[in-house]
Amino acid sequence: NAGVTQTPKFQVLKTGQSMTLQCAQDMNHEYMSWYRQDPGMGLRLIHYSVGAGITDQGEVPNGYNVSRSTTEDFPLRLLSAAPSQTSVYFCASSYDRDQPQHFGDGTRLSIL
Amino acid sequence: GESVGLHLPTLSVQEGDNSIINCAYSNSASDYFIWYKQESGKGPQFIIDIRSNMDKRQGQRVTVLLNKTVKHLSLQIAATQPGDSAVYFCAEKPGGYNKLIFGAGTRLAVHP
């Protein structure tokens, strides 16, 4: 049972490049979410999904897209990377919205 | 606006002492609260949660207290150990919403 798996662990991009951060969970959780964590700040919600085919915006959705074609996977896409998107990105999942979320170990992303 | 904050950004304790980490929340409609522990380079790890119909919940060496009158949440760690050194986050879920709002975190440093 791997829990929540995020890939890659580290990534460096140039401004304007696009990329997809992968997130997969093997716990059959319906609820999945993406957060970013910046120094000295808590986690801020980017996008979330309450089930396959359903996504919604969080606090800081601009510059990011998500889709949820399966229960297991919830990729996060950066359309045109900007230095302000340099951050650590965490994916989380839970059985439903009123259960504890389980987090992956993060993707450390630097935009030059 | 909605916010979750912490009174002390850094807490230093002696090994074996009890630790108390405090958190203030602003949304009186929040119905679910969670404490997470985050070690360096890792994702947040669930510690304990509490629902708004309770005022206390105990786990192994940890206790969460909820005071809805003053919108205050605390995490008590008994017999603090070096392995407890980490950043601790509280999070709240406003009732009817699908998202968690995180505080900025408190760093707990345990000294021998």
Side-chain angles (χ1 to χ4, degrees), chain A residues 17-19 36 46-47 57 60-66 76-82 84-85 89:
Chain A
Q17 286 185 313
S18 63
M19 85 160 290
R36 61 178 288 174
I46 304 172
H47 286 286
Q57 296 181 349
V60 288
N62 292 340
Y64 308 95
N65 273 359
V66 291
L76 178 72
R77 297 183 189 84
L78 278 69
L79 307 174
S80 178
S84 61
Q85 294 178 305
Y89 291 85

Side-chain angles (χ1 to χ4, degrees), chain A residues 47-84:
Chain A
H47 286 286
Y48 66 95
S49 168
V50 299
I54 306 169
T55 64
D56 206 347
Q57 296 181 349
E59 293 177 74
V60 288
N62 292 340
Y64 308 95
N65 273 359
V66 291
S67 59
R68 185 94 180 272
S69 56
T70 67
T71 299
E72 294 78 18
D73 300 298
F74 190 43
L76 178 72
R77 297 183 189 84
L78 278 69
L79 307 174
S80 178
S84 61

Side-chain angles (χ1 to χ4, degrees), chain A residues 31 35 37 40-45 48 50 56-59 90 97-106 108, chain B residues 31-32 34 36 38 40-46 49 51 89 93 95-105:
Chain A
Y31 186 91
Y35 296 86
Q37 185 176 35
M41 300 181 69
L43 286 80
R44 292 184 292 168
L45 183 64
Y48 66 95
V50 299
D56 206 347
Q57 296 181 349
E59 293 177 74
F90 289 100
R97 68 182 186 185
D98 291 327
Q99 296 294 325
Q101 293 185 28
H102 299 264
F103 284 81
D105 281 337
R108 284 141 187 86
Chain B
D31 58 6
Y32 181 54
I34 307 178
Y36 284 95
Q38 187 176 27
S40 181
K42 296 198 170 183
Q45 177 186 0
F46 168 74
D49 59 357
R51 303 189 189 280
F89 293 95
K93 188 189 76 65
Y97 286 85
N98 289 316
K99 59 184 181 181
L100 284 178
I101 301 170
F102 282 80

Side-chain angles (χ1 to χ4, degrees), chain B residues 19-34:
Chain B
S19 302
I20 300 176
I21 302 172
N22 296 302
C23 176
Y25 65 94
S26 61
N27 192 328
S28 58
S30 289
D31 58 6
Y32 181 54
F33 305 86
I34 307 178

Side-chain angles (χ1 to χ4, degrees), chain B:
Chain B
E2 298 172 297
S3 66
V4 175
L6 295 168
H7 298 303
L8 299 173
T10 304
L11 178 64
S12 294
V13 300
Q14 292 294 121
E15 181 178 357
D17 286 352
N18 296 334
S19 302
I20 300 176
I21 302 172
N22 296 302
C23 176
Y25 65 94
S26 61
N27 192 328
S28 58
S30 289
D31 58 6
Y32 181 54
F33 305 86
I34 307 178
W35 281 100
Y36 284 95
K37 172 187 180 182
Q38 187 176 27
E39 296 173 291
S40 181
K42 296 198 170 183
Q45 177 186 0
F46 168 74
I47 301 172
I48 193 168
D49 59 357
I50 189 168
R51 303 189 189 280
S52 58
N53 60 353
M54 302 173 69
D55 54 19
K56 180 179 180 179
R57 191 167 188 216
Q58 288 184 294
Q60 187 175 14
R61 281 202 307 119
V62 294
T63 300
V64 56
L65 299 177
L66 175 62
N67 186 329
K68 293 181 288 292
T69 302
V70 296
K71 291 184 284 188
H72 185 267
L73 191 68
S74 68
L75 176 69
Q76 300 178 359
I77 304 173
T80 313
Q81 303 168 0
D84 294 327
S85 294
V87 177
Y88 290 80
F89 293 95
C90 63
E92 62 174 317
K93 188 189 76 65
Y97 286 85
N98 289 316
K99 59 184 181 181
L100 284 178
I101 301 170
F102 282 80
T106 291
R107 182 172 300 280
L108 177 64
V110 182
H111 303 287

